[in-house]
Amino acid sequence: SKCDTLTVKAADIAGELGNGKAMNIVLLGALVKAMGLDGVDWKALVSAMVPPKAVEMNLAAYDAGYNME
């Protein structure tokens, strides 16, 4: 059987965005893309679950994980 491996430097990416605490959201974005879980509005869920002052940072972290090469 075949197994794909994806390396996500979430701490580095989150640090580049200015907040190392956002690494879990970086990982979420990468996971959504890798597993094809686009049927859920993840950005709306993230926005609803974080404090208002953290929405912009967390959405940037999600996008960074989702769009990483």
Side-chain angles (χ1 to χ4, degrees), residues 6 15 22 33 36 41-45 55 62 65:
L6 175 65
K33 185 171 184 180
D41 188 350
W42 294 102
K43 287 185 176 187
L45 288 172
V55 169
Y62 176 86

Side-chain angles (χ1 to χ4, degrees), residues 17 19-20 39 46-47 59 61-62 64 68:
L17 293 171
N19 189 340
V46 168
S47 296
L59 292 180
Y62 176 86
M68 64 173 234

Side-chain angles (χ1 to χ4, degrees), residues 50-63:
V50 300
K53 66 181 182 179
V55 169
E56 185 177 338
M57 166 58 68
N58 280 276
L59 292 180
Y62 176 86
D63 286 339

Side-chain angles (χ1 to χ4, degrees), residues 3-69:
C3 180
D4 292 326
T5 302
L6 175 65
T7 301
V8 180
K9 294 186 177 186
D12 292 345
I13 294 169
E16 289 170 11
L17 293 171
N19 189 340
K21 293 180 182 179
M23 69 179 138
N24 59 329
I25 304 299
V26 172
L27 290 169
L28 174 64
L31 180 69
V32 167
K33 185 171 184 180
M35 296 188 70
L37 302 173
D38 295 305
V40 174
D41 188 350
W42 294 102
K43 287 185 176 187
L45 288 172
V46 168
S47 296
M49 298 304 294
V50 300
K53 66 181 182 179
V55 169
E56 185 177 338
M57 166 58 68
N58 280 276
L59 292 180
Y62 176 86
D63 286 339
Y66 189 90
N67 294 319
M68 64 173 234
E69 297 291 324

